[in-house]
Amino acid sequence: QVQLVESGGGLVQAGGSLRLSCAASGSILRINAMGWYRQAPGKQRELVATITSGGSTNYADSLKGRFTISRDNAKNTVYLQMNSLKPEDTALYYCNADVSSWARRAAYWGQGTQVTVSS
């Protein structure tokens, strides 16, 4: 079993910054891609950014230049640096990881961390 635990969410004023972290633990042989997704009230979950084990990144077009994803493979942790935050960035942010264990390869989700941006 694999667990993903997010942290770093909170309340911030527009224009501010937050850094989210997500640590994976459990029966891990290898973590392939990791990523962040978000879901605002009344909306579908959407991609924020992903990063491969080799460090290749992919971002939602609307977030390029403000958000930066990174990872520390030694710590099984992925980060999301969010700058110049806007009220429309308010959402529940979820971590996702594609994990290989001895038994299987599967995608796992964290429980989410709330980000609220006030105007």
Side-chain angles (χ1 to χ4, degrees):
Q1 190 67 8
V2 174
Q3 297 81 37
L4 301 179
V5 178
E6 300 112 331
S7 60
L11 174 64
V12 64
Q13 288 188 332
S17 298
L18 282 175
R19 188 191 194 210
L20 306 182
S21 300
C22 172
S25 62
S27 301
I28 299 170
L29 179 62
R30 172 186 170 88
I31 301 180
N32 305 298
M34 303 184 80
W36 289 96
Y37 294 74
R38 68 184 185 182
Q39 187 167 18
K43 295 187 177 181
Q44 289 188 331
R45 190 173 298 188
E46 63 177 2
L47 168 74
V48 174
T50 61
I51 184 167
T52 67
S53 58
S56 296
T57 59
N58 178 55
Y59 294 91
D61 287 342
S62 62
L63 301 177
K64 289 179 181 177
R66 294 195 299 122
F67 288 15
T68 303
I69 190 170
S70 61
R71 64 189 282 176
D72 184 333
N73 290 332
K75 296 181 178 179
N76 289 336
T77 299
V78 63
Y79 305 96
L80 184 69
Q81 178 67 42
M82 304 184 294
N83 298 327
S84 302
L85 283 162
K86 304 175 181 180
E88 52 263 43
D89 294 318
T90 295
L92 193 58
Y93 283 70
Y94 294 93
C95 173
N96 173 271
D98 175 7
V99 179
S100 296
S101 66
W102 291 111
R104 62 186 294 204
R105 177 175 177 172
Y108 295 88
W109 291 91
Q111 79 287 353
T113 185
Q114 179 67 40
V115 171
T116 302
V117 184
S118 63
S119 57

